[in-house]
């Protein structure tokens, strides 16, 4: 069996690594795996989490494996949670060179300590700042101290570090001499130092001594190499005084067939999960011998985690194997009993059949014997006298009396000796004893045996038919009993995958390899926008109750492709009440700088709600459809070989075979985007085909005063025919049309003046750059349309327009009254008066009757 607990040197290396990782982190929770094993969960900055497994008396190290936790924690675990849960770890140290580790939470008088002992049966103790015990796993009393609640934990007995000296070496040599051949150099130095047996053996081998030398001259041999031995012990002294960055080493003893082909070199690959022989923070000399295989790890905690998980897995497999064998043994016993019962029934059938056949073979003799016995019983002959008479007739050679073997008159039967008709090679035949009923005839007795044989045969058939059910029942019982005594390895020892930061949200990877995140609740919506919405990202939402705040991570300066926008909008709508209500609604998106947490004056902003500044860009209505996918994550060591394997879907549903990208870093040429950001943060280039495909008209992307033209396709298909340049005319209000008309008049006047001055000069052609500009709200006020000098009437009209600037011209004027002439209005008024007079006459006439 391999190493089962840590030495002082192992604890020094483990604590050195743990203090660098855990100091400053908070104890998020503590779990009890079993009465001696505890799991501490620490959380650091961001999403950093560390799990530390502690088995009192055995080990302490970080772990990447998952352990089955009890549904109800123990009272001691609840007490620890009550005192130090969510507290920050202030320090972590090993007490002296003893196998004791101390966790310090808090400072000053509020300090709470967790002390773990790794010697003897071990213990886990919680104390206050004065080492007064508040709770512990195991209460016991020693010669020097009492370990109980409200007692003081003894710190005076802690073994301190002492470097190796000649005096200490001389003490070890004396111990060897006093042992009279029963104490070796390794044992003597291990008992007198804090190095542990492995480090002592390493030093003795480096000095040229034999660790297991027990003869009388062992001390004299050690004194001869005292100087060399003293130099060898400087290595553990330096390790305990100032621990370097330790590495982890696992030692596995090779089998005979493996040792012939394997070397003793240090391996960087992992072997199968099996019980190893040893683990160490230093590669000892004895571990470099033949027949041993060494596996190297980057950290000592990683090596310990792998070692103990392999040991636990091996123990679990052995335990399960024993349980399975026990279950199989029970099933085999049940099967053997069932088959033995069938064999017994077959034997009974053969016996009854033979008896019936013998009676038929000797039918006359049987009938004569029955008649004699019946007549004697009928004459009331005493049973004892009848037996004497039968015995006397046998002596006289009566053939009928000779076949009577025994009288069983109390059962109303008589036993007859009937000879089998078959004869062996020697001319002898077997004689069988057959019981017959004296109240029945010989034929009736034969029928009785035939009937018994038939009943047993029917019973045998039923037994054979029920064999499968009996075996299945025995298997079920054995399986239930096995489950009660065993535990599944999958539930206890599982490697935990490191959770990525975005997995706490609802997320998916779009067809263009963009990461899309959505909050699960109001708190996550708040966290998602405040912490993870960065420059260049897109915020997607829907105007319906329960819609999730969705963001599209955009690590590059390129625009977001249309498929990603559409998919993100689909997620925002499906994660709302529209899913249950089956309501089709459109989602919308805005830039990151349009999302604000600043509420209007006099109002408050609840958790998960945000203020949107500027225009919302609506997406087409989405279908309420969602899917599920399985994503396989490869090991970090093999990730480089799979870079670029994820194909990017273009906007036509195909793959971009030449250009691939990893998640979160899409390429610009993945697909022509609807909204590709230009140099200005608010400007957008629109692709006409994609906008028509998704129903995104140019009006959804324009503001007042913007002129839009449909740009030519960057990569038209071969089937497209050449067309003349078509200028799309977006919807404009009356105000926009007037302002544009005035600007065009002024431009025409300037051009006419230029033509008059430069007669004969050709007018240069000006190429117009077609783009749709969505200015920010703050920039719109700064941009002014050039205007011509206004006359007095135009100034009066402009003043009137400024007064009604928030209204549309269609709302300012009545569509009927403003367009009718004066005489038409006068005639309408006259008809109204006439109708009123007639109505009053009719009503008065009606009331007269």
């Amino acid at each position: 069996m391999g190493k089962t607990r840590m030495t002082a040197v192992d604890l020094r290396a483990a604590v050195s690594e743990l203090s660098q990782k855990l100091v400053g982190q908070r104890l998020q929770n503590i779990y009890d795996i079993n009465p001696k094993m505890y799991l501490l969960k620490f959380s650091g900055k961001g999403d950093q989490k560390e799990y530390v497994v502690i088995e009192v008396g055995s080990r302490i190290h970080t772990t990447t494996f998952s352990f089955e936790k009890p549904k109800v924690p123990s009272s001691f675990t609840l007490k620890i949670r009550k005192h130090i849960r969510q507290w920050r770890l202030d320090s972590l140290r090993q007490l002296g060179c003893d196998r004791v580790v101390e966790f310090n939470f808090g400072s000053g008088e509020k300090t709470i300590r967790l002390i773990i002992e790794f010697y003897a049966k071990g213990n886990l103790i919680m104390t206050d700042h004065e080492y007064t015990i508040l709770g512990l796993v195991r209460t016991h009393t020693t010669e020097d101290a009492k370990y109980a609640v409200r007692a003081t934990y003894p710190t005076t007995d802690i073994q301190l570090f002492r470097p190796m000296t000649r005096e200490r070496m001389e003490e070890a040599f004396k111990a060897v001499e006093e042992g009279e051949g029963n104490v070796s150099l390794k044992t003597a130095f291990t008992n007198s130092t804090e190095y542990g047996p492995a480090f002592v053996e390493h030093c003795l081998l480096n000095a040229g001594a034999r660790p297991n030398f027990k003869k009388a001259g062992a001390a004299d041999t050690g004194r001869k190499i005292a100087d060399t031995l003293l130099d060898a012990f400087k290595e553990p002294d330096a390790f305990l005084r100032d621990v370097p960055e330790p590495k982890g080493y696992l030692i596995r003893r090779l089998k005979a067939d493996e040792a012939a082909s394997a070397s003793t070199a240090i391996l960087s690959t992992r072997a199968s999960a099996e019980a190893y022989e040893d683990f160490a923070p230093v590669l000892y000399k004895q571990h470099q011998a033949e027949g041993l295989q060494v596996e190297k790890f980057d950290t000592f905690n990683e090596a310990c985690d792998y070692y103990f998980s392999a040991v636990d897995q091996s123990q679990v497999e052995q335990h399960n194997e024993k349980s399975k064998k026990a279950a199989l043994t029970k099933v085999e016993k049940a099967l053997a009993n069932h088959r033995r019962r069938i064999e017994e029934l077959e034997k009974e059938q053969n016996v009854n059949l033979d008896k019936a056949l013998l009676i038929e073979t000797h039918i006359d003799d049987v009938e004569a014997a029955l008649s004699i016995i019946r007549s004697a019983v009928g004459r009331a002959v005493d049973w004892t006298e009848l037996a004497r008479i039968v015995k006397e007739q046998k002596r006289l050679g009566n053939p009928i009396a000779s076949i009577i073997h025994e009288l069983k008159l109390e059962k109303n039967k008589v036993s007859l000796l009937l000879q089998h008709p078959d004869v062996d090679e020697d001319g002898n035949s077997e004689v069988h004893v057959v019981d017959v009923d004296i109240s029945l005839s010989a034929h009736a007795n034969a029928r009785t045996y035939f009937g018994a044989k038939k009943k047993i045969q029917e019973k045998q058939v039923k037994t054979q038919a029920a064999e499968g059910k009996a075996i299945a029942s025995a298997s079920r019982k054995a399986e239930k009993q096995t489950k009660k005594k065993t535990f599944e390895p999958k539930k206890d020892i599982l490697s935990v995958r490191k959770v990525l930061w975005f997995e706490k949200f609802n997320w998916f990877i779009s067809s263009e390899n963009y990461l899309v995140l959505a909050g699960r609740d109001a708190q996550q919506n708040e966290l998602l926008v405040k912490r993870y919405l960065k420059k260049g990202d897109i915020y997607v939402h829907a105007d319906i109750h329960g819609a999730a705040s969705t963001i599209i991570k955009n690590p590059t300066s390129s625009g977001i492709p249309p498929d990603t926008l559409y998919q993100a909008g689909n997620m925002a709508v499906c994660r709302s009440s529209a899913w249950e209500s089956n309501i089709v609604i459109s989602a919308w998106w805005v830039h990151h700088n349009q999302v604000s947490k600043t509420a209007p004056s006099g109002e408050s902003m609840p958790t998960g709600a945000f203020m949107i500044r500027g225009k919302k860009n609506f997406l087409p209505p989405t279908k309420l459809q969602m899917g599920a996918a399985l994503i396989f994550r490869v090991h970090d060591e093999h990730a480089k070989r799979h870079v670029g394997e994820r194909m990017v879907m273009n906007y036509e549903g195909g793959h971009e075979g030449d250009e691939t990208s990893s998640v979160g870093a899409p390429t610009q040429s993945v697909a022509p985007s609807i909204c590709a950001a230009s140099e200005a943060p608010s400007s957008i280039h629109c692709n006409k085909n994609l906008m028509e495909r998704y129903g995104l008209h140019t009006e959804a992307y324009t503001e007042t005063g913007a002129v839009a033209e449909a740009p030519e396709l960057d990569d038209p298909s071969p089937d497209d025919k050449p067309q003349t340049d078509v200028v799309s005319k977006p919807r404009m209000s009356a105000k926009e049309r007037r302002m544009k008309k005035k600007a065009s008049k002024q431009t025409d006047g300037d051009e006419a003046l230029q033509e008059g001055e430069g007669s004969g000069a050709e007018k240069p052609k000006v190429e117009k750059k077609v783009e749709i500009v969505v200015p920010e709200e703050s920039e719109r006020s700064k941009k002014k349309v050039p205007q011509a000098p206004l006359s007095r009437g135009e100034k009066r009209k402009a003043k009137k327009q400024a007064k009604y600037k928030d209204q549309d011209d269609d709302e300012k004027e009545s569509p009927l009254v403003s367009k009718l002439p004066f005489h038409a209005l006068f005639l309408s008024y006259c008809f109204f008066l006439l109708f009123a007079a007639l109505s009053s006459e009719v009503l008065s006439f009606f009331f007269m009757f």
Side-chain angles (χ1 to χ4, degrees):
M1 183 162 178
K3 190 176 177 181
T4 58
R5 61 175 60 197
M6 287 183 166
T7 63
V9 176
D10 297 337
L11 286 175
R12 179 60 61 90
V15 169
S16 176
E17 291 182 355
L18 289 173
S19 60
Q20 295 177 7
K21 286 185 178 181
L22 304 180
V23 172
Q25 296 190 12
R26 293 186 181 275
L27 179 64
Q28 192 170 351
N29 212 339
I30 182 171
Y31 310 93
D32 53 316
I33 310 304
N34 56 51
K36 294 187 65 178
M37 186 181 294
Y38 293 83
L39 184 67
L40 277 63
K41 181 180 180 182
F42 289 90
S43 61
K45 295 181 180 180
D47 299 324
Q48 180 184 2
K49 289 181 176 60
E50 295 289 346
Y51 294 88
V52 180
V53 60
I54 297 174
E55 187 176 359
V56 294
S58 179
R59 53 170 164 157
I60 176 173
H61 55 82
T62 57
T63 183
T64 57
F65 291 87
S66 175
F67 296 87
E68 186 180 8
K69 307 173 185 66
K71 295 181 179 180
V72 180
S74 63
S75 58
F76 180 62
T77 303
L78 293 175
K79 194 170 187 178
I80 295 178
R81 291 180 181 179
K82 177 182 176 181
H83 281 81
I84 59 176
R85 189 176 181 180
Q86 299 298 334
W87 280 37
R88 195 181 300 276
L89 180 62
D90 187 65
S91 64
L92 173 62
R93 61 170 183 153
Q94 180 184 7
L95 298 183
C97 286
D98 213 342
R99 287 176 288 173
V100 181
V101 177
E102 179 183 275
F103 288 80
N104 290 326
F105 296 90
S107 60
E109 295 182 355
K110 295 184 178 181
T111 300
I112 300 295
R113 294 182 172 91
L114 278 182
I115 301 175
I116 306 101
E117 297 178 347
F118 295 94
Y119 56 85
K121 295 183 179 180
N123 209 344
L124 177 60
I125 304 169
M126 181 173 63
T127 69
D128 60 5
H129 66 288
E130 296 179 345
Y131 287 95
T132 301
I133 298 176
L134 303 176
L136 71 168
V137 172
R138 186 171 63 93
T139 302
H140 64 284
T141 303
T142 62
E143 298 178 357
D144 302 329
K146 179 180 180 181
Y147 296 85
V149 178
R150 297 188 184 90
T152 301
Y153 182 79
T155 57
T156 57
D157 299 336
I158 297 300
Q159 189 175 7
L160 302 177
F161 170 68
R162 296 182 302 163
M164 178 59 69
T165 59
R166 290 186 178 275
E167 290 76 12
R168 298 184 67 185
M169 291 176 59
E170 190 62 31
E171 293 177 1
F173 294 146
K174 289 182 179 180
V176 174
E177 292 177 349
E178 293 174 357
E180 297 180 355
N182 296 324
V183 179
S184 63
L185 285 173
K186 178 181 175 180
T187 304
F189 277 98
T190 300
N191 295 336
S192 60
T193 61
E194 304 84 26
Y195 306 141
F199 225 144
V200 168
E201 184 177 358
H202 170 72
C203 296
L204 292 174
L205 290 174
N206 286 336
R210 296 168 57 185
N212 296 323
F213 194 62
K214 298 181 180 180
K215 295 183 179 180
D220 296 335
T221 305
R223 291 188 180 93
K224 293 179 181 179
I225 58 171
D227 295 336
T228 307
L229 193 58
L230 187 61
D231 293 337
F233 278 111
K234 289 182 180 180
E235 182 179 357
D237 289 342
F239 187 89
L240 293 175
R241 188 182 297 107
D242 186 12
V243 181
E245 293 185 3
K247 300 293 182 180
Y249 300 94
L250 294 186
I251 293 84
R252 185 168 65 98
R253 186 170 296 278
L254 298 176
K255 298 179 182 179
D257 53 346
E258 295 177 338
S261 58
S263 62
T264 58
I266 299 176
L267 302 179
S268 59
T269 57
R270 306 289 176 262
S272 59
E274 61 181 84
Y276 288 83
E277 187 175 281
D278 197 0
F279 61 93
V282 179
L283 184 58
Y284 299 130
K285 191 176 182 62
Q286 62 268 24
H287 293 157
Q288 302 177 26
E290 294 183 1
L292 296 177
Q293 187 182 59
V294 180
E295 296 183 15
K296 185 178 180 181
F297 291 78
D298 294 334
T299 62
F300 181 63
N301 278 270
E302 184 182 356
C304 292
D305 186 29
Y306 194 85
Y307 175 85
F308 283 104
S309 64
V311 171
D312 293 342
Q313 182 73 14
S314 178
Q315 292 177 354
V316 167
E317 291 175 355
Q318 291 177 4
H319 183 76
N320 287 341
E321 191 65 26
K322 290 181 180 179
S323 301
K324 289 179 181 179
K325 287 182 178 180
L328 290 175
T329 302
K330 291 182 179 180
V331 174
E332 290 174 356
K333 286 183 178 180
L335 181 60
N337 292 335
H338 202 74
R339 291 176 178 175
R340 180 176 51 81
R341 177 60 178 162
I342 293 175
E343 291 177 359
E344 291 176 356
L345 292 175
E346 289 179 354
K347 289 181 180 180
E348 290 182 11
Q349 289 183 63
N350 296 331
V351 168
N352 290 324
L353 180 61
D354 290 342
K355 289 181 178 180
L357 293 175
L358 287 174
I359 292 174
E360 288 183 348
T361 303
H362 304 278
I363 190 69
D364 296 335
D365 295 339
V366 172
E367 187 65 37
L370 290 175
S371 299
I372 293 173
I373 299 298
R374 279 198 297 268
S375 62
V377 173
R379 293 195 304 269
V381 178
D382 186 67
W383 291 356
T384 306
E385 182 64 19
L386 182 58
R388 188 189 64 78
I389 294 173
V390 171
K391 186 176 181 180
E392 180 66 21
Q393 291 297 321
K394 282 183 180 181
R395 189 178 64 80
L396 296 175
N398 190 335
I400 301 300
S402 61
I403 65 173
I404 298 176
H405 176 65
E406 183 181 2
L407 297 176
K408 299 179 180 179
L409 300 178
E410 66 277 3
K411 296 181 181 181
N412 202 31
K413 291 183 179 182
V414 59
S415 296
L416 302 179
L417 296 174
L418 302 179
Q419 191 173 10
H420 201 279
D422 296 335
V423 181
D424 56 8
E425 296 178 355
D426 298 334
N428 300 325
S429 61
E430 295 182 0
V431 178
H432 298 272
V433 178
V434 181
D435 293 341
V436 293
D437 193 342
I438 60 177
S439 61
L440 300 177
S441 64
H443 290 283
N445 277 285
R447 286 196 301 272
T448 301
Y449 279 108
F450 279 121
K453 185 260 181 186
K454 187 176 182 181
K455 289 182 180 179
I456 295 173
Q457 185 178 7
E458 293 176 355
K459 190 174 182 179
Q460 179 183 357
V461 172
K462 292 180 180 180
T463 304
Q464 289 176 345
E467 180 179 0
K469 295 181 180 180
I471 299 303
S473 176
S475 300
R476 285 194 298 270
K477 290 181 180 179
E479 186 177 356
K480 288 181 180 180
Q481 190 174 2
T482 303
K483 285 184 177 180
K484 291 180 180 179
K485 295 182 179 181
T486 186
F487 51 90
E488 302 253 343
K490 290 185 178 180
K491 291 184 179 180
D492 280 2
I493 305 172
L494 283 177
S495 180
V496 178
R497 178 183 61 85
K498 187 177 182 180
V499 180
L500 301 175
W501 65 270
F502 55 82
E503 292 188 63
K504 57 188 173 185
F505 305 105
N506 290 322
W507 64 278
F508 73 91
I509 300 171
S510 70
S511 56
E512 287 89 4
N513 286 348
Y514 284 85
L515 179 63
V516 182
L517 307 175
R520 298 177 183 268
D521 49 28
Q523 286 76 15
Q524 282 204 351
N525 290 339
E526 190 87 8
L527 176 66
L528 190 64
V529 173
K530 281 189 174 182
R531 182 179 295 181
Y532 299 106
L533 184 61
K534 304 297 182 182
K535 182 178 179 180
D537 296 344
I538 297 297
Y539 178 84
V540 185
H541 197 56
D543 296 331
I544 188 171
H545 176 71
S549 290
T550 307
I551 66 172
I552 305 173
K553 298 299 294 180
N554 185 16
T556 64
S557 59
S558 60
I560 302 296
D563 286 336
T564 299
L565 283 173
Y566 190 80
Q567 292 162 11
N570 191 8
M571 185 179 194
V573 173
C574 290
R575 294 285 179 180
S576 67
S577 58
W579 182 267
E580 296 181 355
S581 305
N582 292 327
I583 299 175
V584 178
I585 193 172
S586 298
W588 48 264
W589 65 269
V590 295
H591 294 285
H592 73 283
N593 51 4
Q594 295 180 247
V595 185
S596 172
K597 193 63 180 175
T598 305
S601 179
E603 298 182 10
S604 61
M605 193 70 66
T607 303
F610 305 94
M611 179 65 67
I612 305 299
R613 312 283 185 183
K615 183 173 180 61
K616 299 177 182 178
N617 304 295
F618 281 87
L619 296 166
T622 61
K623 296 181 180 179
L624 297 177
Q625 293 179 352
M626 296 187 72
L630 295 177
I631 299 179
F632 296 91
R633 185 179 180 185
V634 299
H635 196 272
D636 295 339
E637 297 178 356
H638 310 293
K640 295 181 180 179
R641 292 186 292 179
H642 299 275
V643 172
E645 287 186 355
R646 178 176 167 84
M647 303 298 294
V648 177
M649 297 289 294
N650 59 24
Y651 69 98
E652 293 181 352
H655 291 86
E656 294 287 339
D658 297 334
E659 298 182 9
T660 56
S661 61
S662 59
V663 176
T667 57
Q668 280 191 332
S669 59
V670 168
S673 62
I674 292 179
C675 307
S678 65
E679 295 178 359
S682 61
S683 64
I684 298 175
H685 298 289
C686 292
N687 188 303
K688 182 180 177 182
N689 281 11
L690 294 179
M691 292 173 65
E692 290 178 354
R693 174 175 176 252
Y694 284 98
L696 304 177
H697 302 291
T698 55
E699 297 88 64
Y701 293 92
T702 59
E703 287 289 336
T704 303
V707 180
E709 294 183 359
E712 297 180 357
L713 288 176
D714 296 335
D715 48 351
S717 60
D719 298 333
D720 293 342
K721 298 180 180 180
Q723 300 178 359
T724 57
D725 295 339
V726 180
V727 179
S728 62
K729 296 181 179 180
R731 181 183 178 276
M732 294 185 181
S733 63
K735 176 182 176 182
E736 293 172 342
R737 289 194 295 270
R738 285 196 304 272
M739 301 297 287
K740 181 180 178 182
K741 186 176 181 181
K742 291 176 183 179
S744 61
K745 286 181 179 179
Q746 181 68 21
T747 304
D748 294 341
D750 296 341
E751 290 178 355
L753 182 60
Q754 292 176 3
E755 289 179 0
E757 293 176 353
S759 59
E762 294 184 1
K763 184 179 177 181
K765 295 182 179 180
V766 180
E767 295 183 0
K768 297 182 180 180
K769 185 178 181 181
V770 183
E771 64 178 18
I772 300 176
V773 179
V774 182
E776 294 292 335
E777 188 172 1
S778 59
E779 296 179 356
R780 281 187 232 134
S781 59
K782 299 178 183 180
K783 295 184 179 181
K784 297 181 179 179
V785 180
Q787 298 180 0
L790 301 178
S791 62
R792 183 182 299 178
E794 290 174 341
K795 289 181 180 179
R796 192 184 309 116
K797 190 174 182 179
K799 187 182 296 184
K800 188 177 180 180
Q801 290 176 351
K803 183 178 179 180
Y804 298 99
K805 63 181 180 180
D806 296 334
Q807 301 180 12
D808 193 79
D809 289 342
D810 296 337
E811 298 176 355
K812 291 189 295 180
E813 297 177 358
S814 173
L816 177 62
V817 177
S818 61
K819 297 181 180 180
L820 290 176
F822 177 77
H823 63 274
L825 293 174
F826 179 75
L827 289 176
S828 299
Y829 181 70
C830 292
F831 278 114
F832 175 77
L833 293 177
L834 180 61
F835 178 79
L838 291 175
S839 300
S840 61
E841 292 294 335
V842 172
L843 289 174
S844 62
F845 179 77
F846 176 76
F847 283 113
M848 287 176 62
F849 292 95

